[in-house]
Amino acid sequence: MSASPVSPVPPASPASPVSPREYGVFLPNAAGGWLVSTTAPYPPADYDHNKQIAKVAEEIGLDFVMAMAKWRGFGGSTDHWGETIESMTMMAGIAEATERVKVWATIHANMQNPAFAAKVFTTLQQISHGRAGMNIVNGSYADEFEQMGIWDADMTKDERYRMTAEWAHLVTRLWSEDSVTHAGEFYTLTDCQSRPHPVIRPEIINAATSPAGRAFQAQYADGAFLGADTLEDMRASSRDVHDRAASLGRSVKTYAMLTVVLGDTDADATARATEYGRGLDRVALANMRKSWGMPEERALAWAEGADGEQAFQTVYVAGGPSRVVEHIATVMDTAELDGLMLIFPDYLADLPVFGESVLPELRSLEGVRA
């Protein structure tokens, strides 16, 4: 497998100018959203609900909306993610319902052939008039693929990244070449055709934490989601991706995820977060860890001893508008990030407040017109 597409591919670019720092939302297309709790709001796995969230996100000036791909939930008293709606078809509808915000849909490289992916995202790019993004994932929850008979338990993490790199390599070739013939480690294409080609290449998005993942991001991604235990570690990862990409003559934006719990005051927001933590669904939490590969007894013991903060699936900030602005600015500056993907407990209630009292302050701090 060669290291880069055989012929040039049109560069990915947004449909309209965006701020140097991008802010978007992770849509709740799985029931329960991003809080594993009986006392938190419980967004439904419903297209109209997600469409409404996306439209509000666009109205307040956010830059992108993204939806995950999920095929099996985690049970418990919340039946967390037991109901989901599919990412690519949902985002096609949202692309039609919006005009400016970028629409990033998720696809599993271990499920879909590169030729299928190339065609679907070319179509999504037409529907969105140049706003589409492809979030590539390669599978980390074994049980959702075991139920389909497509999980290869013997595949190592390095092999999984080689598979995903070969997959991305072929997708980008199909977006630019009239015929692709390839006999590789994981895929075979023979005079494979995928026309029309996208006029603007869909942005490629990927989340990773390992060096192998960051190498993939540097070579193929336009947006890299990172995870780390500290802001200093996040900064090191962000610099690593930026430096690796620069060495290849590329530019990649780095992002992190953050859950925002807003209140009129810091005390209000803290009380809100504490209440969500009180309802932690420990069974669902244990099942999630088991799906990641943690042994059952260890997962159950870990979940039993977990505190309420584990109800949040990402790092979170709880506070009034000023505290949230300060926290986000600190995260962005310290970790040297290009953007954040935001999660809200109650999107339709929280987004308008964020758009009125937080986002303008962030734009002002950056010296960017909203």
Side-chain angles (χ1 to χ4, degrees), residues 35 273 276-278 280 306-314 316:
L35 285 165
Y276 299 156
R278 184 179 64 82
L280 175 64
D307 60 31
E309 292 196 352
Q310 296 302 323
F312 295 85
Q313 293 189 56
T314 73
Y316 74 93

Side-chain angles (χ1 to χ4, degrees), residues 283-339:
V283 173
L285 196 66
N287 288 337
M288 187 180 295
R289 293 306 187 275
K290 284 162 51 183
S291 186
W292 288 348
M294 185 180 287
E296 181 173 3
E297 288 188 7
R298 182 180 167 196
L300 290 169
W302 179 86
E304 195 59 36
D307 60 31
E309 292 196 352
Q310 296 302 323
F312 295 85
Q313 293 189 56
T314 73
V315 175
Y316 74 93
V317 56
S322 295
R323 180 176 179 183
V324 171
V325 169
E326 180 182 5
H327 181 88
I328 290 177
T330 298
V331 168
M332 298 293 285
D333 291 340
T334 305
E336 298 179 5
L337 297 170
D338 299 300

